[in-house]
Amino acid sequence: DGGITQSPKYLFRKEGQNVTLSCEQNLNHDAMYWYRQDPGQGLRLIYYSQIVNDFQKGDIAEGYSVSREKKESFPLTVTSAQKNPTAFYLCASSMRGDLSNQPQHFGDGTRLSIL
Amino acid sequence: GQNIDQPTEMTATEGAIVQINCTYQTSGFNGLFWYQQHAGEAPTFLSYNVLDGLEEKGRFSSFLSRSKGYSYLLLKELQMKDSASYLCAAGYKAAGNKLTFGGGTRVLVKP
C-alpha cells in the first residue's frame, strides 16, 4: 500500500546531540513537508521541499536541517542548536508543490524527547 | 501574517450536531482544508473548499465564504469516535502548496 513512513516512532536525545528523523513516501509525490506540533497546539512548518534537490525554510527552521536527494526521502535533522526540541514531528507529502489545492497526506509522526 | 483562528475546545453530546468555525485572512487566499487528528496520531484529510458554499460528505460538511474569510466544519449525528482535534488550514496562492494551520479545535463527545 502507498503511504508515508516515519521512523522511529519514539526518539530520545541527549543534550548536545544531533538526531535525524526519517521520512519515506512511496506515493510518487513531488512535495514533502516537516511540521512540529507541541501539546495542544496546531502544526508549525519547519521545512518543505516542492521538488527533489530543492527545499525552503518554513516558519521555524532555526536549529533544523533537511536534505532532499531522492524523491522518496526527506530526512529532518534536529541539531543541538534547537533549544527546545521536545515535540511531535510530522512529515507530510502532496502530489505537487506548486499548486495550493493539493491535500497533504501525513505520516504517523515521531515523538522526540530530551533525556 | 496569515492568522487562522478557530476555537480551542468544544463539547457536545452523542447524536448532536457541532459546528466548528474558522476565520482566515482573505488576501491571496486560494482554498481551505479541514483535517481530523486523534490524540497522538497523524492528521487525516477531511475536506477541501475552494468555492463558496457547502460541501457535504456523509455526516461531515464544510462551508466556505470567500468574501467573509470564514469557514465551518459541521459534524452531524456525533459519535464517540468523533472526539478528536479538527484542524483548519488555508492555502495561499503565493505560497505554492504551503499551508497555514490553525491551532486546532478539540471536540469532546459525551455520552
Side-chain angles (χ1 to χ4, degrees):
Chain A
D1 283 355
I4 302 173
T5 302
Q6 288 187 243
S7 61
K9 193 169 178 69
Y10 299 94
L11 188 58
F12 299 92
R13 192 191 93 167
K14 292 181 181 178
E15 295 280 354
Q17 251 184 358
N18 292 355
V19 288
T20 298
L21 282 60
S22 169
C23 179
E24 303 278 330
Q25 54 99 358
N26 60 4
L27 299 167
N28 200 32
H29 284 175
D30 282 342
M32 297 185 75
Y33 312 81
W34 273 106
Y35 293 92
R36 170 184 172 134
Q37 187 174 38
D38 292 285
Q41 305 289 315
L43 307 183
R44 292 187 289 166
L45 184 65
I46 304 172
Y47 268 97
Y48 65 105
S49 168
Q50 292 182 313
I51 201 160
V52 67
N53 290 322
D54 185 53
F55 52 84
Q56 286 85 38
K57 292 181 180 179
D59 301 317
I60 54 164
E62 187 175 348
Y64 300 97
S65 65
V66 293
S67 62
R68 186 86 189 277
E69 297 174 2
K70 297 188 297 182
K71 188 174 185 178
E72 311 80 50
S73 179
F74 191 40
L76 173 75
T77 297
V78 184
T79 75
S80 56
Q82 171 50 239
K83 296 307 176 192
N84 185 22
T86 296
F88 188 44
Y89 290 87
L90 286 160
C91 178
S93 71
S94 64
M95 193 174 298
R96 291 179 61 171
D98 57 340
L99 300 176
S100 53
N101 63 351
Q102 307 282 304
Q104 294 182 15
H105 301 275
F106 288 82
D108 288 336
T110 293
R111 195 166 297 278
L112 176 64
S113 301
I114 298 300
L115 288 179
Chain B
Q2 295 163 335
N3 290 340
I4 312 295
D5 292 316
Q6 52 181 130
T8 304
E9 196 168 289
M10 302 181 76
T11 302
T13 305
E14 196 174 11
I17 298 173
V18 70
Q19 177 175 316
I20 306 168
N21 297 326
C22 172
T23 59
Y24 59 88
Q25 295 192 351
T26 58
S27 176
F29 171 78
N30 194 35
L32 194 112
F33 295 84
W34 284 97
Y35 287 83
Q36 179 191 60
Q37 185 181 25
H38 285 98
E41 297 183 9
T44 55
F45 170 71
L46 288 178
S47 66
Y48 173 66
N49 292 71
V50 64
L51 300 176
D52 283 352
L54 188 69
E55 298 265 352
E56 297 189 72
K57 277 188 187 180
R59 295 189 298 113
F60 292 5
S61 303
S62 55
F63 172 84
L64 181 70
S65 168
R66 297 181 68 95
S67 61
K68 294 181 180 176
Y70 168 69
S71 173
Y72 67 72
L73 180 69
L74 194 68
L75 314 181
K76 293 181 277 190
E77 300 169 21
L78 279 172
Q79 301 176 9
M80 299 299 290
K81 67 178 182 180
D82 297 330
S83 291
S85 285
Y86 293 86
L87 308 177
C88 171
Y92 291 87
K93 294 186 181 88
N97 204 29
K98 191 171 66 134
L99 296 179
T100 301
F101 281 83
T105 299
R106 191 162 55 223
V107 171
L108 177 62
V109 180
K110 293 186 172 178

